[in-house]
Every structure is written in C-alpha cells, then in structure tokens.
C-alpha cells in the first residue's frame, strides 16, 4: 500500500504507521525509565539499600546538564554531570548511608528520603523553581526518515545510547573482574571479604556506579522534559514501579519492565486514553498479586 | 461655493454630536469607583524579590496560597515578585489605613503543594495561627475550590486571580467570600472562539489536562466554537494526566488527525513540555493556548519553534495600544528586573506580561478595595468589592455583584517574529517569536451569563 506523504510535512498516515510510531515512542520512553531505574535496582540487588534519593540525584543531574551545557555543550554535560552525580553518590554512601545501614531498612528509607529533600532544597535555592530548557545538540536535532515516518533523531539517540549502556553493563558484570567481585559479593560478601577484597570499598564504588546511571538518565531526559524540581516526582515514581515490577535487584527485570511500561503507556494513549494512566499501576498490582517477587526477582 | 449658513449648520451639528458623545463618554469614564494611579507608585529602585523584608506586628496579613513544592512549584515562584512588588509599593507609601490605623502589608506563604488536603491544612493554619485577613491565589481549580470553602467557613475573603473553572462560582459552589478576578472558562473560550470565527482554520484538536479545569476548558472551547464558528470541526479530544512525562504518543495521535489548530489549556510544566515535544516532532501548526508563555523555554526553542502560538489572556503586550500607566509600570518593572539575581533574573520575569501582568493588576485592585473599605473586615470588603468598577491597567474591570466574577476585555495574541522594540531600547522577544498581532475582544463580547441560581441573589438585599 503506497501512502502519500502529508502536505503539511508530517508523514504519518494509516493505522500501521501510527502504531509503529507509538511503538518506537514506547521503547524510547521505556529505555529512559530503564536508565533511571537500573541504578536503583542494582543498588538494591547488591547492597540491599532502597535508595529513595535516587530520583533526586536524577533530577540534580538534569540541572548539572543545564549548567554545563550552557558554558560548554551537551556532550560535555553527558560526560561530566553523571560523574559529578557518581561522586556525590559515593560520598553519600560512605558518610551517611553506610553508618545507618546496619540498623535496617526503616532508618535507611528515612535517611535517603531526607537526602532527597535536602537535594531538592539545594536545587531550588541555586536554580529556582522555574523551568529550564536543555536543547539537544545540533547533530541530534531534526528527523530520521523511517519509511513514510519521520522520527526525531534525539529519540533514536536515546534508544541507541541506552542499548549501548545495557550492553556495557552486561559486559561489565559478566566479563570484568569488578563485575565478578560484585556478583560474588551479592551472593556472599563475607567470603569475598575473606579473599582479601575490600568489600566496603566495592560497595561505595558500586553505589557511585548506580548513581552514575541515574546521572546519565537525568542528562538524557533533560532535552525531552523541562528541567524543574518536580522532575524527581515526575519520573521517580515510574522508576520505582519499574524496579518493583521487574523484580527488586534484577537488571533484566528492570529492562523488561521498562519496555513493557513504555509500550503500554503509548498504546494506552493511542487506543484507550482515558484509562492510560492506570495501566502501569494496574499491571504492577496484577504482577505482584500473581508473583510478589516481580517478573524476574526472587526477593520480596 | 459653500454658504456661511451651511457652515454654521454643520458646526452646530458637530457641536451637538460632540456634546452628545461627551454626555455619554464622560460619565462612563467617571463611573469607575476607582482607578489604578501610576503616579502614586513609590520609588521601586530598592525592590528585590530575593530580599523581601516582611513587616511584622499589627499588619494587614495576606495569605499567599501557591504551589511552593512538587512538580508545579514554578507557579509559586512566578507570583512571588508580583504580590511583593505591590506590597512593597504600598508599604513605601506608608501602608493602608484600616480601622483608623495605618498598617503595612505582610505576605505570608502557604504551600498548597497542588494537593487539596495539603491546601486545606495550610489555609487553616494561615487563618488560625497566622491570622491572615485575606487569601491570594491560586493555581489549580481543584485547589481554588478548597480555598474557597475554607474562606467561606472562616469568613476570610479570597481573591482568586489564577483558577479559571466556571464551576468555582456557579450556584453550587458560590460563596460571598470568594472573588474571581481572573476570567473564567466561558470568558476565555468565548474570546478565543470569536478570534477564530473569522479565520480560515476549521479543524481543531483539543488536548487538556485531565482534571476539573482541563475538562471545563476543553468542553467550553468546543461549545463556543460551535456557537461562533458552526463550520468548525473538533477532529480529536484528549485529556492527559497532570505532569505528563512524555507527550510524544499524544502528538502522534494529534498529527495523524491533521488539525489546523491544536487547542490546549495546559499550564506548566505540561504546556512547555507539549510545545517543545510538538516542535521537536515537526508539528508546526498553531497551538492555541493560555499558559505557554514561558519566555525562557521559548528563547531556548528559538524563532521558528515559537511561531504560531496563539495566546488568549486578559493581559498581553503586543501591538495593542497600552495605557500610559501600563507602559510606565512595565518599564519600571523591567528596569528593576535587570538588577535581580537568580532565580528572578530569568527571562520570564523580564516583563510583567500575561500572567504576571494580570496578577499584578489584580493585586493592585485587591489592595485598592481594602483601602476603600478602610478595613480588613470581610463584610466591609464584600460591600465595596461587589459591583465595583475599577479602571485597571488594561481597561475597566467590573466585579459582577451577583456571582463575584470580574468582567473585562480579553486579548488574543499570535506570535510571528522576534519583537525587539515593544519599548524602545528594551528587547522583548529577542531570539524567539514574540506576540505581534493582538486582537482585543471587548468585555461585552466575552461576558459570561450569570449562573441561573445567582441572578436574584441580591434582590432582597
């Protein structure tokens, strides 16, 4: 079936093309969620810390991206902002979270939520509460023709970038010594420690790595959404849903759950818009009812 | 050759017409109970929204009910310079005489968080603990409804200068303590529908936020479009959750429906996110809106992306004539803005346009009412404000006595190209497309009907 291009420069015609476009939207948004949620999931999986400040670090990264991009460019922001967030994450873990961790989840949750609130106030006092805009770099502006579709380059970049990160994570945990140690520490940290490995240092590094991923997500999302203090609430809740749905601590679970949520969201908007916002949470309730550990998790 | 008799006849007719017009115009102009007097404005050179000194003691306490936290916190920040500008101005004049004593104005913050329960709790705290005399606010009709109920319960006047739903002041929800100075849903959409009545666009897509206000706006636009432009077609209608993360799926639907105009009543951050996603996806059709007026976002998006925005508001700077008072106030504000530090050094604060201009004008009106009532007593304020006519910054504003809804002209402005010289030497839209062409919809053409059950409210008074 030959579909003529639109006379308005938009070339989306026919249900199949609309559904295809919605599918790509779903994947790109899902992958943003994955970036935001993966660090959270991994930190919980290895360290048993449910870090409620994760979403606020994500927000802080978006602000860093704004400021760095203003004096340099987006690419420098993509490099530096996550590193800065990782440093902050490591300091938080070393000096605040680690001393509280032995007392269990409740003090930890209160502490990390408190850290989040402090970060929020810091952001408001430095950047204010009005919306800030980060533009994609010029090379990522414009559209890519996909058949009769034209799709924003930046959203394609998100898909490619996140897949590279996912592959990198896979390689890191399966093919490197650091990954081997981390996986071993997940199973039996005492044994790893007995082998002469400084497990607390590994934990700090790993926490920093998890927050680095939150930083990446913050920078990547900045050209998509306005940067404002509500960003943490806006995306943070979905990130938590991803972690719970995918299974606490499961990276692949987070990946599958992110894509699932992204697709359900976009197709929900296309087909049943009035109930679209409920789909994500309904799915979470359904999955947790049938499998309380989440899709790929083994811990409640 | 024209005879002298004919000349005398013509002159007599001209004089008669002039006298006739004067007889009508002068009393009409003088019929306002009060007017904004720019000459009274204090020297504002020391005003800094970052360093507001609130007076204490026996003051006139105004509860600033705004979203100060959460995703909508930018709204709370936006109006902070506004209310404090007016308070600072009046305080420098020595304050207002109430109950025989001159008192200064104190602004007390109340965080609604955009959540009804939090708004109620905060409003009651401000009344019971802080003893505020009046409420100023607030973003979100669902929150304004809560504040209105609290105002009625504790008999504290509430100026609603931000929430628009018709339902707020209908028979069911009306109370004597709430005054709506912002245009309601009907005024807004009557104005916008009339703007489109004579234009070629025929296919409209409605996308609004999924709560009371969004539905009110969407429904009202469809209704008034059918009245003023019967051949118009609504090609799609959707309502999205507040603070939506990704507009792309909605825009794909919208682009597939191929509307001539996308209508939205979204406020920030949704409005801005919609605009940037739309333009990033290649949707270049006009977006008729109310709140997509964040100049910082627009500057970042650039000239092309900010073309074709159609803004409807009671206060707009463009090619429309502006009163000398308006010009002077705006110039003074801009001059001061150049000295402000973060976060108030952003472009959105550079000119008191649209929401800032309207709330500035309304706040001056509110304090003028208190001054004329010479009291903070709710009953005295009500008696002055009901039916009041105030010559504001943009023309006559009347507070309709029956339903406490302000009536005034509306403006519809379209962006086209960067406007660098709204005022000589002071760039307004530099690097993005500003509002160039403004259409004025006179008050009588966008006056909403009085709710049926309120028509006779004052008959027995």
């Amino acid at each position: 079936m030959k579909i003529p291009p639109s006379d308005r420069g938009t070339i989306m015609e026919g249900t199949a093309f609309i559904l295809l476009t919605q599918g790509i939207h779903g994947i790109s948004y899902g992958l943003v969620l994955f970036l935001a949620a993966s660090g959270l999931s991994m930190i919980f999986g290895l360290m048993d810390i449910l870090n409620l400040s994760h979403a606020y670090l994500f927000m802080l990264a978006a602000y860093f991206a704004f400021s760095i991009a203003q004096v340099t460019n987006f690419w420098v922001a993509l490099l530096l902002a996550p590193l800065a967030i990782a440093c902050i994450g490591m300091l938080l873990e070393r000096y605040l979270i680690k001393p509280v961790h032995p007392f269990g989840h409740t003090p930890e949750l209160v502490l990390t939520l408190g850290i989040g609130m402090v970060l929020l106030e810091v952001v408001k006092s430095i950047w204010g509460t009005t919306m800030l805009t980060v533009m994609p770099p010029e090379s990522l502006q414009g559209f890519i023709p996909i058949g009769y579709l034209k799709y924003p380059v930046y959203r394609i970049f998100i898909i490619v970038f996140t897949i590279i990160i996912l592959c990198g994570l896979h390689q890191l945990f399966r093919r490197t010594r650091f990954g081997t140690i981390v996986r071993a520490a997940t199973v039996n940290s005492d044994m790893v420690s007995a082998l002469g490995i400084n497990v607390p240092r590994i934990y700090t590094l790993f926490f920093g790595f998890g927050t680095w991923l939150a930083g990446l997500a913050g920078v990547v999302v900045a050209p998509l959404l306005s940067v404002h203090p509500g960003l943490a609430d806006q995306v943070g809740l979905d990130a938590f849903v991803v972690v719970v749905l995918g299974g606490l601590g499961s990276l692949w679970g987070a990946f599958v759950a992110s894509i699932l949520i992204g697709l359900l969201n976009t197709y929900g908007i296309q087909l049943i818009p009035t109930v679209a916002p409920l789909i994500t949470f309904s799915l979470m309730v359904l999955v947790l009812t049938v499998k309380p550990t989440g899709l790929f998790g083994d811990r409640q | 050759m024209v005879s002298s008799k004919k000349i005398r006849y013509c002159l007599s007719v001209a004089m008669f017409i002039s006298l006739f017009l004067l007889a009508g115009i002068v009393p009409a102009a003088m019929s306002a109970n009060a007017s904004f007097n720019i000459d009274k404005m204090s020297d504002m050179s020391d005003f800094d929204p970052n360093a507001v000194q609130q007076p204490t003691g026996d003051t006139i306490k105004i509860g600033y009910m705004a979203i100060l936290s959460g995703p909508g916190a930018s709204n709370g920040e936006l109006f902070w310079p506004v209310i404090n500008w007016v308070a600072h101005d009046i305080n420098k004049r020595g304050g207002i005489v109430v109950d025989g004593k001159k008192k200064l104005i104190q602004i007390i913050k109340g965080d609604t968080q955009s959540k009804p329960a939090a708004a109620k709790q905060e409003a009651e705290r401000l009344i019971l603990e802080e003893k505020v005399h009046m409420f100023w606010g607030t973003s979100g009709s669902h929150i304004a409804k809560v504040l209105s109920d609290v105002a009625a319960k504790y008999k504290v006047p509430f100026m609603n200068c931000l929430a628009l739903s018709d339902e707020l002041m209908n028979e069911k929800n009306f109370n004597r303590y709430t005054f709506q100075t912002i245009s309601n849903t009907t005024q807004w959409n009557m104005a916008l529908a009339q703007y489109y009545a004579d234009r070629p666009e025929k296919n409209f897509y409605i996308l609004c936020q999924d709560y009371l206000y969004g539905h009110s706006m969407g429904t009202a636009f469809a209704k008034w479009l059918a009245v003023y432009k019967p051949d118009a077609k609504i090609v799609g209608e959707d309502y999205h959750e507040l603070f939506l993360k990704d507009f792309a799926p909605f825009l794909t639907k919208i682009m597939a429906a191929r509307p001539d105009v996308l209508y939205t009543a979204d406020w920030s951050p949704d409005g801005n996110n919609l605009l940037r996603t739309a333009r990033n996806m290649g949707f270049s059709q006009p977006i008729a809106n109310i709140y997509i007026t964040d100049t910082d976002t627009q500057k970042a998006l650039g000239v092309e992306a900010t073309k074709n925005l159609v803004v409807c508001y009671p206060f707009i700077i463009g090619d429309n004539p502006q009163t000398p008072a308006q010009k002077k106030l705006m110039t003074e504000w801009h001059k001061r803005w150049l000295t402000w530090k973060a976060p108030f050094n952003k472009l959105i604060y550079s000119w008191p346009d649209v929401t800032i201009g309207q709330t500035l004008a309304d706040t001056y009106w509110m304090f003028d009412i208190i001054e004329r009532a010479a009291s903070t007593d709710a009953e005295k304020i009500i008696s002055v404000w009901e039916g009041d006519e105030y010559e504001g910054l943009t023309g006559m504003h009347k507070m309709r006595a029956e339903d406490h809804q302000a009536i005034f002209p509306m403006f519809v402005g379209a962006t086209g190209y960067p406007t660098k010289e709204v005022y000589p030497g002071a760039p307004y839209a530099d690097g993005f497309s500003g509002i160039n062409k403004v259409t004025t919809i006179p008050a009588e053409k966008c006056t909403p009907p009085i709710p049926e059950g309120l028509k006779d409210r004052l008959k027995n008074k």
Side-chain angles (χ1 to χ4, degrees):
Chain A
M1 183 178 69
K2 184 162 175 135
I3 295 166
S6 156
D7 54 0
R8 294 203 185 100
T10 62
I11 37 178
M12 278 179 295
E13 297 275 349
T15 310
F17 286 102
I18 293 167
L19 291 178
L20 176 60
T21 311
Q22 296 291 32
I24 304 173
H25 288 325
I27 290 168
S28 66
Y29 178 65
L31 289 173
V32 168
L33 276 185
F34 170 72
L35 269 186
S38 54
L40 184 68
S41 183
M42 289 191 313
I43 288 169
F44 186 84
L46 173 68
M47 302 171 70
D48 203 24
I49 295 171
L50 195 50
N51 176 21
L52 292 184
S53 65
H54 193 83
Y56 295 91
L57 289 165
F58 157 83
M59 169 202 66
L60 187 62
Y63 276 97
F64 282 170
F66 170 78
S67 292
I68 296 169
Q70 277 210 317
V71 289
T72 55
N73 60 50
F74 175 81
W75 299 110
V76 178
L78 187 61
L79 182 73
L80 294 185
L83 285 177
I85 295 296
C87 291
I88 293 171
M90 285 191 285
L91 289 172
L92 289 175
E93 195 276 339
R94 175 71 184 80
Y95 294 106
L96 294 175
I97 297 171
K98 190 176 282 178
V100 171
H101 188 57
F103 299 102
H105 279 307
T106 308
E108 206 169 69
L109 285 175
V110 173
L111 174 71
T112 53
L113 183 63
I115 292 169
M117 294 293 116
V118 170
L119 291 176
L120 185 64
E121 291 308 314
V122 168
V123 159
K124 280 157 79 172
S125 66
I126 296 173
W127 289 279
T129 55
T130 46
M131 287 154 296
L132 307 173
T133 304
V134 177
M135 292 301 286
E138 274 191 28
S139 54
L140 297 181
Q141 291 178 12
F143 309 94
I144 287 179
I146 306 174
Y148 289 108
L149 296 174
K150 60 175 185 179
Y151 199 80
V153 176
Y154 189 73
R155 294 183 81 100
I156 298 287
F157 162 76
I158 288 176
I159 295 173
V160 174
F161 180 75
T162 313
I163 289 171
I164 291 170
I165 293 293
L166 182 68
C167 294
L169 286 175
H170 181 80
Q171 293 297 315
L172 179 74
F173 289 113
R174 296 285 156 190
R175 302 283 166 88
T176 67
R177 186 167 179 272
F178 175 74
T180 310
I181 294 169
V182 165
R183 281 189 292 126
T186 313
V187 178
N188 192 334
S189 59
D190 291 338
M191 180 60 77
V192 175
S193 197
L195 291 172
I197 293 165
N198 188 340
V199 172
R201 186 179 292 169
I202 292 290
Y203 277 4
T204 305
L205 277 173
F206 189 77
F207 193 91
F209 183 71
T211 52
W212 177 78
L213 286 169
L216 275 185
V219 180
V220 164
V221 100
L224 280 185
L225 290 171
S226 295
V227 178
H228 64 111
L231 207 54
D233 295 344
Q234 216 175 352
V235 180
L237 186 62
D238 278 4
F240 274 100
V241 173
V242 163
V243 172
V244 173
L245 189 62
L248 293 165
S250 166
L251 193 62
W252 283 105
F255 177 74
V256 172
S258 306
I259 299 294
L260 202 56
I261 287 174
L263 290 174
L264 283 172
N265 180 50
T266 47
Y267 286 125
I269 287 170
Q270 178 66 43
L271 303 169
I272 38 170
T274 47
V275 294
L278 299 175
I279 295 175
T280 303
F281 296 102
S282 305
L283 177 73
M284 188 176 78
V285 170
L286 184 72
V287 168
L288 292 185
T289 307
V290 178
K291 194 168 183 291
T293 55
L295 290 172
F296 292 83
D298 51 9
R299 315 161 59 166
Q300 289 190 40
Chain B
M1 197 174 155
V2 183
S3 70
S4 61
K5 197 175 174 182
K6 273 187 179 169
I7 292 170
R8 274 204 303 275
Y9 174 73
C10 287
L11 280 172
S12 308
V13 170
M15 277 180 67
F16 178 77
I17 291 169
S18 305
L19 283 170
F20 180 80
L21 287 174
L22 277 172
I25 289 167
V26 172
M30 291 174 67
S31 67
N33 297 335
S35 60
F36 172 72
N37 186 351
I38 190 72
D39 296 327
K40 279 189 185 172
M41 196 167 78
S42 313
D43 169 20
M44 297 295 284
S45 57
D46 58 343
F47 176 70
D48 179 359
N50 277 311
V52 176
Q53 296 287 326
Q54 297 294 349
T56 52
D58 191 9
T59 55
I60 299 167
K61 295 183 174 68
I62 306 296
Y64 175 65
M65 296 300 296
I67 311 171
L68 302 172
S69 59
S74 57
N75 293 276
E77 182 190 289
L78 187 63
F79 302 110
W80 181 246
V82 172
I83 191 165
N84 280 292
W85 172 282
V86 183
H88 185 82
D89 176 14
I90 294 170
N91 285 345
K92 277 193 84 173
R93 298 181 211 169
I96 296 174
V97 177
V98 292
D99 306 321
K101 194 177 165 191
K102 210 155 198 188
K103 294 183 184 179
L104 299 178
I105 297 159
Q106 182 183 0
I107 309 299
I108 300 169
K109 283 182 183 176
D111 185 4
T112 69
Q113 298 175 41
S114 197
K115 293 174 185 164
K120 183 172 186 286
Q121 192 179 8
E122 194 71 338
E124 289 188 331
R125 181 185 71 80
L126 257 54
I127 290 174
L128 299 173
E129 290 177 25
E130 303 285 355
K131 313 285 182 203
V132 295
H133 299 105
M134 198 156 178
F135 282 128
W136 187 108
T138 191
S139 299
S141 294
H142 57 314
I143 305 301
K145 169 76 176 75
V146 170
L147 282 193
S148 183
D149 290 346
V150 172
K153 182 179 172 187
Y154 293 95
K155 298 183 171 34
V156 172
F158 163 40
M159 179 180 75
N160 169 23
C161 55
L162 289 172
L164 325 173
S165 292
D166 283 352
E167 287 80 357
L168 288 169
M169 305 304 280
N170 66 10
E171 303 91 334
K172 194 179 156 200
N173 296 317
F174 173 84
N175 71 63
R176 296 173 59 244
Y177 299 91
T178 303
F179 291 85
Q180 185 157 331
T181 55
I182 183 83
S183 33
N184 69 11
T185 331
T186 299
Q187 281 162 286
W188 227 287
N189 290 292
M190 281 175 93
L192 203 52
Q194 285 177 77
Y195 170 78
Y196 278 112
D198 301 324
R199 293 185 56 85
E201 294 93 340
K202 283 201 168 72
N203 298 316
F204 296 80
Y205 199 110
I206 295 171
L207 179 68
C208 290
Q209 290 155 324
D210 190 9
Y211 75 109
L212 174 66
Y213 155 75
H215 283 271
S216 297
M217 290 298 284
T219 309
F221 182 65
K223 176 185 164 184
W224 291 105
L225 201 60
V227 171
Y228 292 110
K229 195 178 177 75
D231 59 337
K233 195 176 163 197
I234 304 296
V235 295
E237 187 170 356
D238 273 319
Y239 296 89
H240 65 81
E241 63 177 309
L242 267 179
F243 312 130
L244 188 67
K245 272 84 71 176
D246 190 9
F247 274 97
F250 278 109
L251 279 156
T252 299
K253 274 183 88 174
I254 291 164
M255 289 163 82
R258 304 176 69 182
D260 299 318
V261 176
L262 168 62
Y263 169 92
T264 182
D266 281 11
W267 43 279
S268 63
D270 287 332
N272 284 326
N273 286 332
L274 171 62
L275 171 65
R276 59 193 295 178
T277 313
R279 297 313 193 219
N280 286 339
M281 288 179 65
F283 180 79
S284 55
Q285 305 304 109
I287 302 178
N289 71 90
I290 293 171
Y291 291 123
I292 305 183
T293 54
D294 175 16
T295 39
D296 292 280
T297 303
Q298 291 177 6
K299 178 140 189 171
L301 292 176
V303 175
E304 281 306 311
T306 48
K307 280 180 181 168
N308 275 337
L309 292 176
V310 177
V311 183
C312 181
Y313 219 81
F315 193 109
I316 284 182
I317 310 174
D319 65 354
N320 48 326
Q322 287 152 39
T323 61
Q326 192 180 4
K327 278 194 171 184
K328 191 173 171 188
L329 176 66
M330 300 191 77
T331 310
E332 183 61 24
W333 173 289
H334 184 74
K335 212 176 357 168
R336 301 276 41 92
W337 170 77
L338 294 169
T339 67
W340 295 347
K341 301 275 187 300
F344 301 108
N345 56 355
K346 291 184 198 120
L347 212 53
I348 192 169
Y349 296 103
S350 62
W351 291 101
D353 197 4
V354 277
T355 43
I356 293 182
Q358 168 253 321
T359 48
L360 199 58
D362 290 351
T363 309
Y364 272 113
W365 189 11
M366 182 184 85
F367 284 117
D368 198 83
I369 293 290
I370 296 175
E371 191 169 14
R372 279 184 279 145
S375 175
T376 49
D377 177 71
E379 290 306 321
K380 287 182 181 161
I381 286 172
I382 291 169
S383 71
V384 173
W385 215 343
E386 271 186 357
D388 187 51
E389 295 185 356
Y390 180 77
E391 190 67 35
L393 281 170
T394 55
M396 180 68 81
H397 285 224
K398 297 178 185 177
M399 182 56 73
R400 199 159 60 182
E402 289 86 349
D403 61 348
H404 291 190
Q405 173 60 57
I407 308 296
F408 42 76
M410 295 287 289
F411 304 95
V412 183
T415 61
Y417 49 86
T419 41
K420 295 196 177 180
E421 287 185 2
V422 172
Y423 299 108
Y428 177 70
D430 191 5
F432 61 99
S433 297
I435 296 167
N436 312 121
K437 188 110 185 98
V438 177
T439 306
T440 304
I441 311 292
E444 62 273 17
K445 285 195 165 183
C446 53
T447 298
I450 300 171
E452 210 47 51
L454 296 174
K455 279 182 178 167
D456 300 330
R457 190 178 72 83
L458 298 169
K459 268 198 174 166
N460 300 327
K461 198 176 174 184

